[in-house]
């Protein structure tokens, strides 16, 4: 087994031969969508030159594709499993993350006062915010009480109000895949990974599968102003997805997403180790409701990927007492879940990460040179 195939095989879940997966590989000619069925990898570029096209065709049988042999002898790098889909994300979908966003806001991005703010918020809303259902009369009563206490926040609005936070995480084709470097802004001093499950949704709004993702968060930037969300979230190499999209079938359903545990391990070049986990059962809004809110008044003709949010909010001190966690260059971040496998990326600055060069125009030109544009319908 080659190093490439060994890495690819180790990134998939233990039951990978029971599932059907969609992904992309880097070939000498350019990126190609692939199917993984029954342990075999199939290049689908001749009939569906983009993952978006493959999804919209709705045929995952492998018909018309070219077999590349057993997956565990794969000679091509896995890259981000999506291409023309928009990349959307939902924030503050877990109670703990809601509290941490309020802390960022009230600390104005200053980590040194986060501890005192956290203690006050936990004592006032820690239990109630975990049990309230967003958009209900109970949530409205909690909102009124928090306003009276001077503790209301725009983050609590999206945590327990009727409307979810939905934002655009990355431009089309800007995501990175398994094994790639993931970027953090070079001028950020307080940040963390966000280990999440992301759904792949077709143009009709149907969830067709799921994958792992890292929605990198800059706590200092967003904490200074919510209007810096775009600068905090959308930077070179700041969005990782993979290793592949597991399609929903009899072996994997949306209920598996609802009950999944998402685990995180960070190993620093300095010997620092951090471990954590998120249980999707604690999410405040159902994944299908988040899809509905994302597309309620917007169309996505090429489909979209949707990050569902994270429970993980690292507060363990890495350096100075009270500072909590922040990334350092060289951190190895592994996100894993039993049914979806592992997504591993090394942290660098966005300036030092490989530049994003294949945008939509470059992809179209590449497909044209390969004679594949006619297969896009």
């Amino acid at each position: 087994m080659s190093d490439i195939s060994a890495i690819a095989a180790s990134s998939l879940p233990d039951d990978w031969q029971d599932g059907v997966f969609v992904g992309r590989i880097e070939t000498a000619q350019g990126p190609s969508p692939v199917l993984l069925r029954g342990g075999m990898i199939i290049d689908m570029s001749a009939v569906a030159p983009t993952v978006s096209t493959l999804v919209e065709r709705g045929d995952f049988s492998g018909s018309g594709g070219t077999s590349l042999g057993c997956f565990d002898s794969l000679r091509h790098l896995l890259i981000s499993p999506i291409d023309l889909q928009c990349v959307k994300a939902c924030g503050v979908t877990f109670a703990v993350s809601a509290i941490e966003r309020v802390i960022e806001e009230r600390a104005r991005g200053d980590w040194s006062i986060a501890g005192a703010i956290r203690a006050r918020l936990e004592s006032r809303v820690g239990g109630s915010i975990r049990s309230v259902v967003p958009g209900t009369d109970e949530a409205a009563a909690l909102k009124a009480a928090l306003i009276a206490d001077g503790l209301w926040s725009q983050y609590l609005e999206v945590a327990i109000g009727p409307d979810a936070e939905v934002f655009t995480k990355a431009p089309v084709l800007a995501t990175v895949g398994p094994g790639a470097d993931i970027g953090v802004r070079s001028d950020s001093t307080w940040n963390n990974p966000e280990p999440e499950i992301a759904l792949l949704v077709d143009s009709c709004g149907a969830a067709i599968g799921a994958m792992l993702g890292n929605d990198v968060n800059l706590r200092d930037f967003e904490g200074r102003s919510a209007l810096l969300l775009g600068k905090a979230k959308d930077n070179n190499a700041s969005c990782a997805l993979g290793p592949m999209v597991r399609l929903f079938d009899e072996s994997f359903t949306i209920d598996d997403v609802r009950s999944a545990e998402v685990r995180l391990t960070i190993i620093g070049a300095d010997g620092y180790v951090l471990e954590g986990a998120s249980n999707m059962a604690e999410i405040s809004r159902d994944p299908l409701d988040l899809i509905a809110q994302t597309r309620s008044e917007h169309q996505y003709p090429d489909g979209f990927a949707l990050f569902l949010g994270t429970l993980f909010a690292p507060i363990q001190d890495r350096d100075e007492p009270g500072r909590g966690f922040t990334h350092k260059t060289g951190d190895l971040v592994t996100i894993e879940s039993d049914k979806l496998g592992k997504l591993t990326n090394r942290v660098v600055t966005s300036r030092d990460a490989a530049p994003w060069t294949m945008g939509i125009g470059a992809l179209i030109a590449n497909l044209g040179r390969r004679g594949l544009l006619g297969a896009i319908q």
Side-chain angles (χ1 to χ4, degrees):
M1 183 182 298
S2 69
D3 289 342
I4 291 176
S5 60
I7 292 171
S10 67
S11 70
L12 292 185
D14 291 341
D15 67 341
W16 63 273
Q17 296 193 59
D18 297 329
V20 180
F21 298 79
V22 170
R24 292 164 74 227
I25 58 172
E26 187 65 60
T27 74
Q29 293 74 39
S32 290
V34 293
L35 279 171
L36 173 59
R37 296 182 57 92
M40 305 297 289
I41 195 81
I42 306 167
D43 185 336
M44 298 301 298
S45 58
V47 291
T50 67
V51 170
S52 175
T53 306
L54 181 60
V55 169
E56 294 305 313
R57 289 174 75 243
D59 181 359
F60 304 112
S61 67
S63 176
T66 301
S67 175
L68 300 179
C70 296
F71 182 75
D72 54 12
S73 61
L74 182 67
R75 297 180 181 275
H76 302 284
L77 286 174
L78 287 176
I79 57 177
S80 172
I82 66 168
D83 42 42
L84 297 182
Q85 293 87 353
C86 292
V87 185
K88 309 293 288 188
C90 294
V92 202
T93 54
F94 291 83
V96 170
S97 65
I99 291 172
E100 289 302 313
R101 296 297 85 76
V102 177
I103 291 167
E104 292 166 12
E105 178 186 45
R106 291 183 174 272
R108 297 292 187 267
D110 181 358
W111 61 266
S112 65
I113 58 176
I117 299 170
R118 182 177 295 109
R120 184 184 178 206
L121 280 169
E122 282 284 359
S123 66
R124 179 62 183 88
V125 302
S128 54
I129 199 173
R130 286 173 172 81
S131 60
V132 71
V133 177
T136 61
D137 291 342
E138 182 185 9
L142 177 59
K143 174 179 178 178
L146 290 170
I147 290 174
D149 284 354
L151 289 174
W152 188 245
S153 161
Q154 57 198 335
Y155 292 104
L156 294 174
E157 177 64 46
V158 295
I160 65 176
D163 297 308
E165 179 189 18
V166 183
F167 59 92
T168 299
K169 166 62 183 179
V172 169
L173 289 170
T175 58
V176 300
D181 287 342
I182 193 166
V184 173
R185 282 187 65 98
S186 58
D187 49 357
S188 172
T189 59
W190 189 21
N191 49 68
N192 60 260
E194 292 200 340
E196 304 185 26
I197 290 177
L199 297 178
L200 183 60
V201 185
D202 68 15
S203 63
C204 295
I208 64 114
M211 65 200 121
L212 297 172
N214 188 347
D215 174 17
V216 176
N217 180 44
L218 306 187
R219 305 193 69 180
D220 45 4
F221 273 73
E222 189 177 349
R224 281 166 34 215
S225 171
L227 297 181
L228 292 174
L229 177 66
K231 183 172 281 190
K233 288 294 187 180
D234 181 10
N235 297 289
N236 182 44
S238 65
C239 181
L241 289 167
M244 301 182 79
V245 178
R246 184 166 190 171
L247 301 180
F248 292 132
D249 59 12
E250 63 278 359
S251 72
F252 180 65
T253 71
I254 190 66
D255 285 335
D256 288 305
V257 171
R258 292 183 174 116
S259 62
E261 181 183 68
V262 181
R263 299 178 293 278
L264 171 77
T265 303
I266 301 171
I267 301 175
D270 57 356
Y272 177 87
V273 177
L274 183 147
E275 296 179 324
S278 293
N279 191 325
M280 289 294 294
E282 297 184 45
I283 197 168
S284 301
R285 303 178 192 268
D286 187 76
L288 297 186
D289 175 56
L290 294 174
I291 290 176
Q293 292 214 27
T294 300
R295 66 185 306 272
S296 63
E297 298 199 22
H298 205 316
Q299 299 77 42
Y300 296 91
D302 295 301
F304 61 93
L306 182 64
F307 281 84
L308 298 178
T310 184
L311 176 65
F312 180 73
I315 60 175
Q316 299 96 319
D317 291 332
R318 183 170 193 174
D319 294 309
E320 301 96 327
R323 180 165 188 164
F325 173 84
T326 196
H327 270 308
K328 293 184 179 182
T329 296
D331 283 352
L332 197 66
V333 181
T334 298
I335 299 167
E336 60 183 304
S337 189
D338 289 344
K339 291 283 188 175
L340 294 173
K342 296 180 182 180
L343 175 65
T344 299
N345 303 94
R346 184 177 68 100
V347 174
V348 299
T349 68
S350 291
R351 287 182 176 176
D352 290 335
W356 174 37
T357 57
M358 181 167 278
I360 297 173
L363 177 62
I364 291 173
N366 175 269
L367 297 179
R369 289 191 299 270
R370 296 160 66 185
L372 299 176
L373 285 177
I376 297 180
Q377 298 179 358

